[in-house]
Amino acid sequence: MNRRQFLGTASAAAALPASANPVDKPALLGGTPMKLTGTRQWPVFDQTEEQAMIGVLRSGKWYRGSGQMVRKFEEQYAALTGAKHCLAVANGTSALLASISALGIDAGDEVIMPPYTFVATLNVILEKHALPIFCDTDRASFQMDAKKLESKITDRTKLIMPVHMGGASVDLDSILATGKKHNVPVLEDACQAHLGEWRNRKVGTYGVAGCFSFQASKNLNSGEGGAVLFNDEAFMEATRAFHSNQANSQSLNLRITEFQAALLMAQMTRLETQSKTREQNAAYLTKMLNEVQGIAPAKLYPGCTRNAWHLYMFRYDKQHFANMPREKFLKALAAEGVPASGGYNPLNKQPLLKRIFATRGYRRIFSDAELKRWEERNHCPENDKLCEEAVWLTQPTLLGPRSDMEVIAGAIRKIQRHAASL
Ligand SMILES: *Cc1c(COP(=O)(O)O)cnc(C)c1O
């Protein structure tokens, strides 16, 4: 079915009472589901990956100290991103931990981060017994609000850690300028933003370092894996030292294996093509969703010249859906064969934080008054609202055929037409 036929079917069906037409009736009420035709298969692989893995296996060189795969991957990833240096590590969390360790982030320091991110961004700060300071979200973009950053800086602020959420860039110009003005380094959490760009340069190459994840869900995948990009060689060497146990400085073992690196190089041969497909599908979907009242796709900042599209994120306004709660909307979408989720909960409100602040370590470092004041300093009202409105599609959905985007938009319009009866 082409787009015109599809739209024709949808509007003809709309003229009939829902009960009479199983195609127009929401699947949640027993109608025919819309169903994506793409397989949403992830990961994607063939003999290229098989040969890469068997090659490492048979070589017997499974450790980066004995083989060449990790070193080669680091060269390739640096070349791909335009970074001067790359250090591959065990996973994205290790990339963040090694970087903040090399930066000397320590107990009692304050680190500014967004409340809208994966918990790993927070976990590495807590691991250091540092204090996470949450900078509210710009609801329109789903990104950390750069305009609110400066008010969060104190003389204890040692790091700003923005996250390129969903694969789109934060407002790097403003964030880097604020960091520079106050002499605070900026570390980019680019774990969702492979090949993402700000002003035609890859994200992850702007800050003091940029961290990436190659965990199974990510756009570049080796099951687990991570990397840090650097422009400064001395800082790269400090991070490298931390990531591989040694006796003369604080360190851990956060090393990646030769298997992961070989798999990554094979997967990298697909990355550009997959990214283009996601971009084309996302642009088409945005065009259709912009015309649906009550659906607001995440806005991109003008400087974001390329979105990695790890997630397709939009806001759902129930007022345009007969006040149907978001959970019901997600259920109705799932019934149509379109899997979607509500995304993150507010990280600044996680009970985990209270439990960690109550530990011996934190109480030795921070006074009761300070921890009490933390709560007042960390309200993020815009983010609270966003967490109630957000809807995510994950990246494999954007790898399907173009017609799948019509299915998604069609399913949303169908749900809207019948919102009152759902
Ligand atoms: C995935 C992710 C991480 C952590 O990466 P792992 O490889 O799972 O350790 C960190 N930050 C963000 C924003 C992520 O999406």
Side-chain angles (χ1 to χ4, degrees), residues 109-121:
D109 293 343
E110 290 182 5
V111 177
I112 302 176
M113 61 169 291
Y116 200 76
T117 180
F118 182 57
V119 68
T121 320

Side-chain angles (χ1 to χ4, degrees), residues 91-93 96 117-118 120-121 163 189 191-192 213 215 218 225 344:
N91 51 56
T93 309
L96 294 168
T117 180
F118 182 57
T121 320
V163 178
D189 181 340
C191 282
Q192 303 185 359
S213 164
Q215 184 270 339
K218 303 291 157 78
Y344 296 136

Side-chain angles (χ1 to χ4, degrees), residues 160-180:
I160 301 165
M161 201 152 64
V163 178
H164 302 297
M165 248 318 288
S169 179
V170 293
D171 179 352
L172 270 172
D173 289 1
S174 307
I175 292 172
L176 291 166
T178 305
K180 197 166 176 190

Side-chain angles (χ1 to χ4, degrees), residues 261-280:
L263 192 50
L264 285 168
M265 284 189 282
Q267 288 278 292
M268 261 161 81
T269 63
R270 309 172 192 282
L271 184 60
E272 179 60 34
T273 313
Q274 289 171 337
S275 300
K276 282 217 174 79
T277 305
R278 289 188 198 100
E279 275 177 290
Q280 286 160 2

